[in-house]
Amino acid sequence: MTDMMTKEQRRKNMQAIKSISKLEGIVSNELWKKGFRFRRNTKDLFGKPDISIKKYKIVIFIDSCFWHQCPIHGNIPKTNLEYWKKKLTRNQNRDKEVDVYYKKNGWHLKRVWEHEVKNDLDSVIEELTEFIRQAQIQK
């Protein structure tokens, strides 16, 4: 099945998606309150991490359950199945490429699922705080 939108309509639709999600804002605000200083959506780093601290080689990605196909909540829309399978599979493959790149280059990498932030923000912040502190020690 072909896309129901024209290329121009699809382009405008995709452009409307904000690069900094509400979830990223919530997590980064909490980390900022704890005294951590970082950059968001760093364009010059591979995969444009949601949060990065270059000094300690730390990258954090906050993954949407839909766009990154969470094993618990990920689903594929029923319409335009070919398009969505291709698109979402490419996202998953890109995530793997990004993970390999950072691990190969000695970076500290952490991925957080959208549902983890929504279900228990305090636990996520605790976990990220510990992750960042451990990476700072290992520098």
Side-chain angles (χ1 to χ4, degrees):
M1 179 183 268
T2 59
D3 196 353
M4 299 292 214
M5 295 184 186
T6 66
K7 284 189 176 188
E8 182 62 22
Q9 287 171 321
R10 175 65 61 202
R11 186 180 72 75
K12 283 185 177 181
N13 191 0
M14 297 304 276
Q15 281 181 327
I17 298 169
K18 304 289 184 228
S19 66
I20 297 176
S21 74
K22 186 187 271 188
L23 292 171
E24 290 171 40
I26 291 167
V27 172
S28 60
N29 284 342
E30 291 299 317
L31 290 174
W32 196 267
K33 285 181 200 174
K34 292 209 174 268
F36 296 110
R37 298 299 174 249
F38 49 83
R39 296 281 177 243
R40 289 179 15 173
N41 299 97
T42 314
K43 291 178 184 176
D44 64 338
L45 289 178
F46 186 58
K48 214 166 106 177
D50 299 316
I51 296 171
S52 62
I53 307 173
K54 289 182 184 180
K55 179 179 179 179
Y56 300 110
K57 294 179 98 174
I58 295 170
V59 289
I60 298 170
F61 292 89
I62 301 159
D63 293 339
S64 155
C65 289
F66 173 75
W67 289 108
H68 297 271
Q69 289 296 284
C70 161
I72 299 169
H73 303 107
N75 64 0
I76 297 176
K78 305 240 183 300
T79 58
N80 205 4
L81 195 60
E82 280 296 311
Y83 169 82
W84 285 110
K85 274 187 178 178
K86 184 178 174 185
K87 171 76 175 152
L88 298 173
T89 299
R90 177 62 189 126
N91 288 352
Q92 288 178 302
N93 291 338
R94 189 179 314 110
D95 289 345
K96 290 174 188 169
E97 291 170 24
V98 167
D99 291 356
V100 167
Y101 172 84
Y102 283 112
K103 288 175 184 173
K104 181 178 159 190
N105 289 293
W107 284 69
H108 304 276
L109 169 83
K110 182 79 171 158
R111 287 193 177 272
V112 177
W113 284 111
E114 168 187 8
H115 68 264
E116 294 173 318
V117 175
K118 287 180 175 178
N119 291 343
D120 193 353
L121 177 62
D122 292 338
S123 288
V124 168
I125 298 304
E126 260 181 57
E127 195 176 313
L128 289 174
T129 297
E130 183 60 28
F131 170 74
I132 294 168
R133 290 206 172 115
Q134 286 299 315
Q136 289 172 331
I137 291 169
Q138 294 174 11
K139 182 187 184 244

